[in-house]
Amino acid sequence: GQNIDQPTEMTATEGAIVQINCTYQTSGFNGLFWYQQHAGEAPTFLSYNVLDGLEEKGRFSSFLSRSKGYSYLLLKELQMKDSASYLCAVRDSNYQLIWGAGTKLIIKP
Amino acid sequence: DAEITQSPRHKITETGRQVTLACHQTWNHNNMFWYRQDLGHGLRLIHYSYGVQDTNKGEVSDGYSVSRSNTEDLPLTLESAASSQTSVYFCASSRTFEEGELFFGEGSRLTVL
């Protein structure tokens, strides 16, 4: 079966760095996505990786290793507004998105 | 500004009733999707459409139907609501088949009593 695993919850301190991991087993691979979802709101797109390596976008970076079925989202200089759930999703061979259950990130002052 | 809107945002209904959730997008996107989101689960695909008159079943399509009569709208109908269908429903759209970035509506919270 297809499976996306990410930690349920993480806690970090304002100003610090946090890494949210995602491992996947899917039927084929056509890219990995990260979305941010604030409580009670819709998910919003953060990043997309299809090749191995690191993609940097401001305070956020996303890494992919296809051979290991592994990705991480790195958030630097954490701000209180970064408190949200972070969703990992993999596009399979049928171009369908398979979603992880999300990681709830709690930022403490 | 282009957008995607859902209505109603909140709905309480009774078991056995028919319910329709509306989704309207002004992005002129070909692809539209309906997901449900439940605690402990990732977003699960209910139905999707790649264009007018095209509809396809997702992984949790039983008890749901959609129709696509124009580019802008993809209404989701629960034929006979069940308590297991209590959930938050998200509509989303994307421009092309290859582009993965989804634009989500605000969500519709449905409670079936």
Side-chain angles (χ1 to χ4, degrees):
Chain A
Q2 308 202 90
N3 195 48
I4 310 287
D5 284 319
Q6 39 180 145
T8 302
E9 187 174 295
M10 300 182 69
T11 301
T13 305
E14 189 177 16
I17 299 173
V18 71
Q19 178 175 310
I20 302 174
N21 296 325
C22 171
T23 58
Y24 63 89
Q25 289 178 307
T26 57
S27 302
F29 179 85
N30 282 297
L32 185 144
F33 299 80
W34 285 96
Y35 283 75
Q36 180 189 59
Q37 185 177 24
H38 285 101
E41 297 183 7
T44 55
F45 172 80
L46 282 179
S47 69
Y48 170 66
N49 295 70
V50 66
L51 300 176
D52 290 351
L54 189 68
E55 294 281 342
E56 298 187 77
K57 192 184 292 186
R59 294 189 298 115
F60 292 10
S61 303
S62 57
F63 171 83
L64 174 66
S65 169
R66 288 172 296 171
S67 63
K68 295 182 179 178
Y70 168 70
S71 172
Y72 67 72
L73 181 68
L74 191 71
L75 290 73
K76 304 176 184 176
E77 301 170 14
L78 285 170
Q79 302 176 9
M80 297 304 293
K81 67 178 182 179
D82 298 329
S83 292
S85 289
Y86 292 86
L87 314 181
C88 174
V90 173
R91 190 162 56 181
D92 69 9
S93 57
N94 294 319
Y95 275 76
Q96 293 300 332
L97 282 174
I98 311 301
W99 296 82
T103 298
K104 183 178 181 180
L105 178 64
I106 300 168
I107 310 295
K108 295 185 175 180
Chain B
D1 285 342
E3 59 181 5
I4 180 167
T5 55
Q6 295 182 227
S7 63
R9 297 290 312 280
H10 301 273
K11 173 83 175 175
I12 300 175
T13 192
E14 295 177 341
T15 300
R17 291 192 180 265
Q18 184 180 79
V19 175
T20 296
L21 305 179
C23 176
H24 179 81
Q25 54 99 1
T26 58
W27 297 99
N28 201 33
H29 285 168
N30 289 322
N31 306 332
M32 296 184 73
F33 307 83
W34 273 105
Y35 287 94
R36 61 179 289 174
Q37 187 174 43
D38 304 287
L39 277 175
H41 292 274
L43 288 163
R44 290 183 289 177
L45 184 62
I46 304 171
H47 282 285
Y48 60 102
S49 169
Y50 288 144
V52 176
Q53 301 301 330
D54 176 72
T55 60
N56 305 278
K57 294 181 179 180
E59 65 173 303
V60 290
S61 61
D62 287 350
Y64 303 94
S65 64
V66 294
S67 60
R68 187 89 181 270
S69 58
N70 57 51
T71 302
E72 296 80 16
D73 299 291
L74 188 71
L76 177 71
T77 297
L78 287 67
E79 306 294 344
S80 177
S83 57
S84 60
Q85 295 176 309
T86 292
S87 187
V88 178
Y89 291 86
F90 285 101
C91 180
S93 70
S94 68
R95 193 164 65 92
T96 65
F97 181 76
E98 292 77 18
E99 288 186 13
E101 181 180 352
L102 295 178
F103 297 85
F104 284 86
E106 317 97 309
S108 296
R109 181 175 293 276
L110 176 67
T111 302
V112 183
L113 301 176

